[in-house]
């Protein structure tokens, strides 16, 4: 039996987080993974840039090109908790430059000393999860299903409560 791809792995992770409840008459769940056209980075920018909603999220890894693409797409308020290697970059040798760039884009940034296996965003009424591997963003999942939104909101609240502003 072959290993599941990153999209299937992400779907399984989110299903586990919401106790398998990914259904609902008015809900949808979509996934894009590396190799799809458009790929996960483009889909993430599309999902985030659909309107002028605020964005709150947990970011475990910083990818400069992905950050620019998503940052250019967002018109609303942005609050991000950086964790794992992303948090390390905020405090590392180039941390001042990263913090300045975030501030210049209006991002309210926080640093969390733990880690997260996935990135999680709340974008208006949508929940977004991203799975990273050694090559960057491997898959992105987005959904308006209430259980997925509730999981994403709880995840963001938990990380924000344990984070410090930068």
């Amino acid at each position: 039996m072959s290993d599941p791809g990153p999209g299937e792995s992400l779907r399984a992770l989110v299903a586990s987080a919401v106790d398998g409840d990914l259904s609902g008459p008015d809900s949808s769940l979509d996934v894009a993974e590396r190799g799809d056209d458009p790929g996960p980075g483009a889909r993430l920018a599309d999902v985030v840039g659909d309107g002028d909603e605020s964005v709150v999220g947990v970011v475990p890894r910083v990818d400069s090109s992905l950050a620019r693409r998503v940052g250019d797409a967002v018109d609303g308020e942005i609050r991000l908790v950086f964790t794992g290697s992303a948090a390390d970059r905020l405090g590392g040798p180039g941390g001042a430059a990263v913090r300045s760039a975030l501030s210049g884009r209006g991002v309210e940034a926080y640093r969390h000393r733990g880690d997260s296996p996935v990135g999680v965003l709340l974008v208006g009424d949508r929940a977004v999860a991203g799975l990273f591997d050694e090559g960057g963003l491997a898959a992105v999942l987005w959904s308006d299903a209430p259980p997925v939104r509730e999981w994403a909101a709880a995840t963001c609240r938990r990380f924000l409560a344990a984070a410090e502003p930068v």
Side-chain angles (χ1 to χ4, degrees):
M1 179 176 228
S2 64
D3 289 334
E8 187 58 35
S9 294
L10 182 57
R11 186 184 296 267
L13 188 147
V14 172
S16 174
V18 300
D19 295 326
D21 186 5
L22 293 175
S23 61
D26 298 322
S27 62
S28 66
L29 182 118
D30 295 294
V31 177
E33 64 184 8
R34 192 178 294 125
D36 290 349
D37 185 23
R43 293 304 299 190
L44 178 60
D46 289 346
V47 170
V48 170
D50 274 353
D52 60 356
E53 296 105 348
S54 64
V55 175
V56 62
V58 177
V59 180
R61 185 162 166 187
V62 174
D63 177 314
S64 299
S65 65
L66 183 59
R68 274 191 298 278
R69 182 186 290 176
V70 171
D72 290 344
V74 176
D75 292 328
E77 176 190 20
I78 305 172
R79 288 187 310 152
L80 298 176
V81 176
F82 293 88
T83 188
S85 68
D88 295 343
R89 284 194 63 186
L90 289 178
V98 174
R99 291 188 305 272
S100 177
L102 291 169
S103 177
R105 288 192 173 271
V107 175
E108 191 177 321
Y110 298 83
R111 185 173 183 208
H112 184 275
R113 300 217 183 264
D115 204 358
S116 175
V118 295
V120 178
L121 299 174
L122 279 174
V123 182
D125 292 337
R126 250 171 276 112
V128 182
L131 180 66
F132 293 85
D133 64 14
E134 63 282 343
L137 184 62
V140 67
L141 173 148
W142 62 101
S143 178
D144 61 355
V148 179
R149 286 195 330 257
E150 291 165 14
W151 163 75
T155 300
C156 291
R157 279 193 303 270
R158 188 174 67 249
F159 276 86
L160 272 168
E164 60 191 37
V166 294

